[in-house]
Amino acid sequence: MPGRDSRKPGTQHWPARRAAGWLKTSAPAGQKGNTVLDGHHNIQGEVFRRLVDLKPGDVVELSARGNVYRYSVTEKHILPDRDQPMEVRIANAQW
């Protein structure tokens, strides 16, 4: 079904190109808790193409439902994922 992750129906919102998706089990934008977004950095709109350039202290703006939320980068971690064994990918999921 368009707009849903077929692995776990109803858990993720898949946006149009050039936008990030939101994990529905994470905090909504502007609410207390972790807001989890996903998108590509190298294909299909490249919404996160400059994510790697961020550093602590940078400000990221998120537009959602007509509001703009500002978040400050506090940490940066680049984790290996491609071609990694499952235990490495599971360990990465803590972030």
Side-chain angles (χ1 to χ4, degrees):
M1 175 178 348
R4 299 205 182 258
D5 180 343
S6 61
R7 294 166 294 179
K8 227 175 171 189
T11 62
Q12 193 160 358
H13 168 70
W14 292 93
R17 289 181 157 213
R18 300 190 185 281
W22 167 59
L23 184 65
K24 291 180 180 180
T25 56
S26 70
Q31 301 296 312
K32 187 175 180 175
N34 293 317
T35 301
V36 179
L37 305 174
D38 74 346
H40 294 282
H41 70 90
N42 60 352
I43 61 171
Q44 296 183 0
E46 300 175 329
V47 68
F48 288 125
R49 73 181 163 274
R50 297 190 161 233
L51 190 65
V52 70
D53 298 330
L54 292 174
K55 57 191 177 304
D58 287 345
V59 174
V60 176
E61 291 186 350
L62 169 63
S63 297
R65 298 185 182 193
N67 296 305
V68 176
Y69 302 95
R70 289 173 181 79
Y71 297 89
S72 179
V73 176
T74 59
E75 297 180 43
K76 178 178 177 176
H77 303 271
I78 298 178
L79 305 172
D81 194 66
R82 181 177 285 187
D83 300 324
Q84 295 296 312
M86 186 56 70
E87 53 272 8
V88 170
R89 297 178 77 188
I90 290 170
N92 289 348
Q94 73 174 317
W95 300 102

